[in-house]
Amino acid sequence: MESEKRATIMITNDDGIDAAGLRALVNVLVSTNLYNIQVCAPDSEKSAVSHSITWLRPVCAKKVEIHGTTAAYAISGTPADCTSLGISNSLFPTIADLVVSGINMGSNCGYHIVYSGTVAGAREAFLNHIPSISISYDWVKGKSSVHDFTLAAQACLPIISALLVEIKNHRYSHNCFLNVDVPTNVANNKGYKLTKQGKSIVKMGWKQVTSEAEGRKMSSDMTNATNTASPAEFDISSVLPESLLFAREVRPGGAKLDHDDSDDYKSLQEGYITVTPLAAISHAEIECQNYFKDWLPSVSEPPSSSAL
């Protein structure tokens, strides 16, 4: 009966149910022994699909075993599909008190929030009046390791816990949801900082290619080209001889920094864990900024590097 008194958290993401970020988040939350954990996540990577939904065909929900969860399902749809199904009362016997989307491999700041499937997973809950938060880790190849996802989850645990207290006491603001980004050097982060969505964006373009091998798969953070796409992701045999092939590529210049001190990307690069309220309409965003300005200082600081 103790589990019935616990808050329920549903976890989703866009990197897929087997992604290291999601598994680290689950493990950290389960280890607290405080929450009932549900998982409803894509069965494969769905990065940068934004808020797209599956409409023309059914989605498949396959039950999977994830230690410590009350139930976990791999869904053949988008992150928005996963959240929608997970909070519909069709899949789980109870509706979650809080939806957490992440932890994404790569930051989600500025205009990239528009493309993000991770943020969409949280936004879908918000649109259905369920409190939610999206979490992303600023993964940098050559600097980051899989263990950093665990550190990121531990660093965000005070935020998740504090949100659940607000929800339980009926003080939570339902005018927005939170987007949290954790810096690359998470062990030496500068603490939490309330920020606003900035205007940073990585320049992207297109190049014509002659074969699938030339097209390089964009990584989750949309800033780096990585390994080539697998045949399962794209069937080159389906392309007609007269068709042209184009692949996305990152253009020189990098992300543009905003000079505003409250800019999310700028603050993330300075080493802060950025906490950005996102709302559907501008006046609600102002209200949320004021609400979280008073709330965030009351949240326990993230664990120190020695504690991590």
Side-chain angles (χ1 to χ4, degrees), residues 88-293:
S88 68
N89 235 351
S90 299
L91 193 63
F92 299 114
T94 57
I95 296 177
D97 299 292
L98 176 70
V99 170
V100 182
S101 184
I103 296 172
N104 189 63
M105 186 179 187
S107 63
N108 277 305
C109 297
Y111 288 141
H112 285 274
I113 287 173
V114 176
Y115 297 104
S116 171
T118 301
V119 176
R123 188 190 298 113
E124 180 68 19
F126 162 70
L127 294 177
N128 286 276
H129 312 293
I130 304 294
S132 58
I133 174 175
S134 51
I135 303 175
S136 302
Y137 166 65
D138 190 19
W139 176 279
V140 174
K141 186 177 181 180
K143 293 183 178 180
S144 302
S145 70
V146 172
H147 180 60
D148 289 325
F149 286 118
T150 297
L151 302 185
Q154 292 171 343
C156 291
L157 189 56
I159 295 179
I160 295 171
S161 301
L163 281 178
L164 286 166
V165 171
E166 293 292 288
I167 294 165
K168 181 180 179 180
N169 294 328
H170 307 288
R171 295 194 301 255
Y172 180 78
S173 174
H174 287 272
N175 291 326
C176 60
F177 65 101
L178 291 181
N179 180 46
V180 175
D181 281 274
V182 181
T184 305
N185 188 2
V186 55
N188 295 301
N189 71 82
K190 294 182 178 180
Y192 305 127
K193 183 176 181 180
L194 185 65
T195 53
K196 298 177 182 178
Q197 182 182 354
K199 299 178 181 178
S200 63
I201 188 168
V202 172
K203 294 180 179 179
M204 290 184 291
W206 294 89
K207 65 177 181 180
Q208 187 171 353
V209 297
T210 57
S211 70
E212 178 191 2
E214 283 188 70
R216 295 176 65 82
K217 181 176 176 293
M218 199 74 70
S219 67
S220 298
D221 60 6
M222 298 175 63
T223 59
N224 302 298
T226 56
N227 56 294
T228 56
S230 69
E233 293 169 336
F234 179 63
D235 183 6
I236 194 70
S237 65
S238 66
V239 178
L240 298 175
E242 64 271 20
S243 299
L244 301 177
L245 291 177
F246 292 89
R248 284 192 182 273
E249 63 176 356
V250 177
R251 295 284 169 84
K256 295 180 179 179
L257 286 175
D258 200 315
H259 297 297
D260 188 343
D261 285 339
S262 64
D263 174 80
D264 52 359
Y265 184 75
K266 179 176 183 290
S267 299
L268 179 67
Q269 297 308 305
E270 291 172 350
Y272 290 98
I273 298 174
T274 60
V275 181
T276 309
L278 299 176
I281 48 180
S282 58
H283 74 77
E285 184 173 323
I286 295 172
E287 293 175 7
C288 290
Q289 283 283 337
N290 292 331
Y291 170 80
F292 285 108
K293 186 183 295 183

